Amino acid sequence: MLDLRQFAVLHAVREGGSLSRAAAELRLSVPTVTHHLDALERHLGARLVNRGPRGATLTALGAMFADDVDDVLGRLELATRKVDDAREAGAVTLRIGTFSSAGSRLLPEALNQLSAATPVFLEIEEGEPTSLAGKVRAGELHAALVYDLEGDPALDHPELTRQELDIEPLTVITAAGSELADQSVDFAELASQPWIRSRDRAGAAERQLVRLAAAAGFHPRTLTRTDDYTMVHGLVAGELGLALISSASIDPRFAVAAVRVQQPLGARRIAYVTPADRPTPASLRLGEILARHTSLDQL
């Protein structure tokens, strides 16, 4: 197996002209230098170095190989220098969790502002709010965008610091050509309709749909379960069922319309959460940037 140390040894032999000078340059013993050269020659099946009492010189094949790996060593040196420079500049890695519907609107501009103010490397993980909040508590994420129901803070936890960002009303959507489109109806009138429901049974919209249906005296009939909003919109636009989603998540590319339900449908709260006892400076800075905006639409 090739080893970058073998390349460095070959390069040092070429420059120094002897195994002892190569060993001194690399701060290795001569037997260690010999070991690396032997391993490299065995792997390539060719003699790379002529060794004698007056020193060591590269063979024609050794010189050709050394020239080719110079680029590898140069790129390694450059990569190492970049890491050193970034570390000295205070660069850190910030791991952020998000869900797609809000994250796609909120995070890009906020993270651009953070990167402009702080040397930071970003890692973004998409997932469901309950899972993301758990990863923040476990230290797997530095912060996350999450949501739950207004008046039902399922994700509040003593190990999390929560910063409210927005409140998004929930709405029922139907196909734009449906007789329910833009009509005022009692929620009980939707009892016979099939629903596109979330796979996350602890999710805000799913829990609210079950509550609303129970209050209206029925159990929602399931067409399918998916958390892919493109699929949700496609199925609704195709007149296959209804969905309860955030009004801010309605995708104008699809022919869907809101159903005007007479009962309050509730709302979901968008929040930014960090560990209560160990927030990082970068995550706090991102929270400050987000705090300057009271609505997702302002970013």
Side-chain angles (χ1 to χ4, degrees):
M1 180 180 294
L2 291 178
D3 187 321
L4 288 174
R5 290 172 296 181
Q6 298 165 358
F7 300 170
V9 164
L10 187 65
H11 183 274
V13 170
R14 182 186 64 183
E15 298 301 314
S18 76
L19 300 189
S20 59
R21 282 193 286 271
E25 172 66 23
L26 298 174
R27 297 182 180 179
L28 300 173
S29 67
V30 172
T32 300
V33 167
T34 300
H35 166 76
H36 286 309
L37 284 178
D38 290 345
L40 181 58
E41 289 179 334
R42 282 196 304 271
H43 180 86
L44 296 175
R47 179 171 291 280
L48 304 178
V49 178
N50 291 318
R51 311 172 206 189
R54 295 186 178 180
T57 59
L58 270 57
T59 65
L61 288 176
M64 180 181 70
F65 186 77
D67 288 343
D68 288 339
V69 299
D70 276 348
D71 287 343
V72 176
L73 294 174
R75 292 177 65 182
L76 177 62
E77 182 181 355
L78 177 61
T80 303
R81 188 162 59 248
K82 284 183 177 179
V83 171
D84 290 342
D85 291 345
R87 185 184 63 250
E88 291 174 3
V92 297
T93 297
L94 183 63
R95 298 189 300 277
I96 300 294
T98 186
F99 59 100
S100 60
S101 59
S104 61
R105 296 191 302 274
L106 179 62
L107 280 180
E109 179 59 26
L111 292 177
N112 279 333
Q113 292 182 33
L114 176 66
S115 297
T118 305
V120 62
F121 297 104
L122 300 169
E123 294 179 3
I124 300 175
E125 178 176 333
E126 185 178 349
E128 290 303 314
T130 49
S131 173
L132 295 176
K135 289 186 176 184
V136 174
R137 295 199 307 272
E140 298 174 31
L141 295 172
H142 294 117
L145 283 177
V146 298
Y147 66 85
D148 55 13
L149 287 172
E150 184 181 23
D152 180 17
L155 300 181
D156 282 359
H157 195 282
E159 294 180 7
L160 295 176
T161 296
R162 180 186 184 111
Q163 177 181 319
E164 299 291 337
L165 297 178
D166 200 12
I167 296 177
E168 298 177 346
L170 296 175
T171 188
V172 174
I173 57 172
T174 185
S178 165
E179 63 180 12
L180 291 174
D182 298 318
Q183 294 297 311
S184 176
V185 300
D186 188 282
F187 199 83
E189 297 177 53
L190 306 178
S192 63
Q193 297 291 329
W195 292 84
I196 296 96
R197 302 172 65 179
S198 172
R199 298 179 64 180
D200 181 9
R201 296 170 192 266
E206 172 65 14
R207 289 187 290 115
Q208 188 68 349
L209 173 60
V210 171
R211 290 175 182 175
L212 291 167
F218 70 93
H219 184 77
R221 183 160 64 91
T222 303
L223 174 70
T224 188
R225 289 185 179 272
T226 179
D227 293 311
D228 183 333
Y229 267 43
T230 299
M231 176 66 76
V232 171
H233 280 76
L235 294 174
V236 171
E239 302 187 24
L240 294 174
L242 308 179
L244 180 67
I245 67 171
S246 156
S247 57
S249 301
I250 296 177
D251 191 331
R253 297 175 300 174
F254 291 86
V256 300
V259 179
R260 289 189 287 119
V261 179
Q262 294 168 6
Q263 289 85 355
L265 297 181
R268 70 178 189 181
R269 305 184 309 167
I270 310 299
Y272 177 72
V273 295
T274 54
D277 62 344
R278 57 184 186 279
T280 64
S283 65
L284 293 176
R285 176 61 177 155
L286 180 58
E288 293 170 0
I289 294 172
L290 293 170
R292 294 201 293 265
H293 306 274
T294 58
S295 170
L296 297 177
D297 293 335
Q298 292 180 8
L299 278 175

